[in-house]
Amino acid sequence: MPINTPQINNLSIQIVSENKKAKKKKKKMGLIKEKEMEIPVIDFSELDGENRTKTMSLLDHACDKWGFFMVDNHGIDKELMDKLKQLINSHYEEHLKEKFYQSEMVKALSEGKTSDADWESTFFVWHKPTSNISKVSNISDELIKTMDEYVSQLHKFAERLSKLMCENLGLPREHIVNAFSGIEGPVFGTKVAKYPECPHPELIRGLREHTDAGGIILLLQDDQVPGLEFLKDGKWVPIPPSKNNTIFVNTGDQVEILSNGRYKSVVHRVMTMKQGSRLSIATFYNPAGDAIISPAQEMLYPSGYRFQDYLKLYSTTKFGDKGSRFNTMKKMENGDSV
């Protein structure tokens, strides 16, 4: 649990509805309202101006209370993002669609039989530390070049986001990068998925309920077809299609462990649709396989002390900040001078 928690005071939040009127308004720091649930939207362009403190507070609130959020003005070339989506959709139509609909899973579902499978057509690409994109079956040179350009920009965004998260957690800015680094550094990879039209959506999920095993997940998704849902406060929150190429972010299990439970990974799923084939390009900023993961020491409570020592410190700091008191106890625990 955290010792120092950034406070959200007088947070200015603009509520942005997904309707025609709201689409005409420029999104700043705000929330998207979808079926009476509000999804945080972080405007990264505000981080370099007078609204940085408010934007950082909103980011902390999104990570702490939601575990997922959208990022606008992220600095990634949006024409490049459009091109990547178009090329992947074409790749699916030309090389994957027929194979999917001829699969045993589809045949079983047509007979009313359900299974533990997921209604998705996927392929995986590793980018860092070593790329395997050229080994993807039937992938075109143009798609390779476009994805490499997109991933290069996205990786810079991922590391910037990780440093901002560390800042909010009271950790050194490089903590996540260092914690995720094995011998060759953090792992960066992408799961490309299509969730095809399904004749019996009541019988099967696009992707069953789960949390993500890794670190920070950066999703470029369909701008027309919905289906992604996240669980919050016991209710499923539908994530709307990403208009204007916003990046959808969620935190995985390793961030929850590293932050000692402050930033939790959240259960989510993909629903199938009778109409529309949904595109998902999910890139994972993950620890290396040989990275040693543990909660950051700064996020831990003091332990192993005598209560009388705490009371002695308390007698002189009762009306001060308890976080400072906890830090002092940790220094005493470590044998540091206070």
Side-chain angles (χ1 to χ4, degrees):
M1 297 297 294
I3 292 174
N4 295 314
T5 303
Q7 300 297 313
I8 303 175
N9 296 321
N10 301 318
L11 182 59
S12 175
I13 296 178
Q14 177 185 356
I15 304 302
V16 184
S17 299
E18 284 291 280
N19 55 38
K20 292 182 179 179
K21 182 177 180 181
K23 289 177 184 177
K24 295 179 181 178
K25 297 181 179 180
K26 184 177 181 181
K27 292 198 295 289
K28 290 294 183 184
M29 289 172 296
L31 302 171
I32 282 182
K33 192 170 184 179
E34 176 72 4
K35 295 186 177 180
E36 299 183 353
M37 293 295 288
E38 299 170 345
I39 303 169
V41 179
I42 315 300
D43 184 346
F44 260 43
S45 69
E46 297 288 338
L47 287 168
D48 298 322
E50 60 183 12
N51 288 322
R52 187 180 194 278
T53 299
K54 292 179 180 179
T55 305
M56 289 294 289
S57 293
L58 180 57
L59 175 61
D60 182 63
H61 175 76
C63 293
D64 187 7
K65 303 302 182 184
W66 289 77
F68 57 95
F69 51 92
M70 293 182 180
V71 177
D72 200 5
N73 294 316
H74 38 63
I76 302 169
D77 186 338
K78 294 190 174 183
E79 290 185 2
L80 181 66
M81 298 166 86
D82 281 332
K83 183 178 181 180
L84 179 63
K85 290 190 291 185
Q86 182 268 318
L87 288 171
I88 289 177
N89 279 327
S90 296
H91 178 81
Y92 167 76
E93 292 290 333
E94 294 174 15
H95 303 293
L96 301 174
K97 183 176 181 178
E98 182 177 356
K99 180 180 178 181
F100 174 82
Y101 281 110
Q102 291 177 350
S103 67
E104 292 299 320
M105 176 184 64
V106 174
K107 293 177 183 177
L109 191 69
S110 67
E111 298 170 358
K113 300 176 183 177
T114 58
S115 69
D116 291 331
D118 299 307
W119 188 266
E120 61 177 0
S121 173
T122 67
F123 64 90
F124 293 83
V125 181
W126 298 111
H127 311 294
K128 292 178 179 291
T130 303
S131 175
N132 71 342
I133 191 169
S134 62
K135 297 180 181 179
V136 175
S137 298
N138 300 309
I139 193 167
S140 68
D141 291 341
E142 187 177 16
L143 178 49
I144 291 174
K145 180 181 178 182
T146 302
M147 179 165 279
D148 283 347
E149 290 176 0
Y150 167 70
V151 164
S152 176
Q153 295 183 30
L154 188 66
H155 187 262
K156 294 176 183 177
F157 168 77
E159 294 208 326
R160 183 186 184 194
L161 176 59
S162 76
K163 292 173 184 178
L164 295 172
M165 291 168 66
C166 286
E167 185 177 336
N168 274 333
L169 289 168
L171 301 174
R173 284 173 60 85
E174 301 285 341
H175 187 91
I176 290 178
V177 175
N178 293 336
F180 282 11
S181 295
I183 295 175
E184 298 182 301
V187 169
F188 209 49
T190 298
K191 174 188 175 183
V192 178
K194 285 286 287 187
Y195 296 94
E197 292 183 351
C198 180
H200 299 288
E202 72 282 1
L203 297 180
I204 193 169
R205 295 275 193 267
L207 186 59
R208 287 161 290 170
E209 291 80 357
H210 67 288
T211 61
D212 289 321
I216 302 172
I217 297 83
L218 311 161
L219 175 65
L220 172 59
Q221 65 166 345
D222 205 286
D223 58 7
Q224 298 292 328
V225 183
L228 180 62
E229 295 183 349
F230 272 70
L231 190 65
K232 176 170 170 55
D233 300 331
K235 296 181 181 179
W236 286 106
V237 181
I239 307 303
S242 293
K243 305 297 183 182
N244 198 33
N245 284 328
T246 53
I247 292 289
F248 182 85
V249 178
N250 68 281
T251 48
D253 295 345
Q254 304 314 304
V255 169
E256 178 169 341
I257 293 167
L258 185 148
S259 68
N260 199 32
R262 169 80 181 279
Y263 290 171
K264 291 180 172 60
S265 58
V266 181
V267 175
H268 53 285
R269 66 187 183 185
V270 178
M271 306 300 287
T272 49
M273 297 288 161
K274 270 194 172 182
Q275 294 183 335
S277 178
R278 178 177 173 269
L279 173 64
S280 167
I281 307 170
T283 303
F284 299 82
Y285 185 73
N286 283 354
D290 59 343
I292 306 300
I293 304 297
S294 60
Q297 288 299 311
E298 294 90 339
M299 304 301 297
L300 297 176
Y301 281 118
S303 62
Y305 57 84
R306 294 179 300 178
F307 181 51
Q308 65 186 33
D309 293 332
Y310 186 85
L311 286 178
K312 182 180 180 180
L313 177 64
Y314 182 79
S315 68
T316 59
T317 61
K318 178 177 180 178
F319 301 107
D321 175 56
K322 67 179 178 181
S324 297
R325 189 158 57 242
F326 292 167
N327 281 328
T328 300
M329 293 304 300
K330 286 178 66 176
K331 289 179 180 178
M332 293 170 61
E333 172 190 337
N334 295 329
D336 299 335
S337 59
V338 295

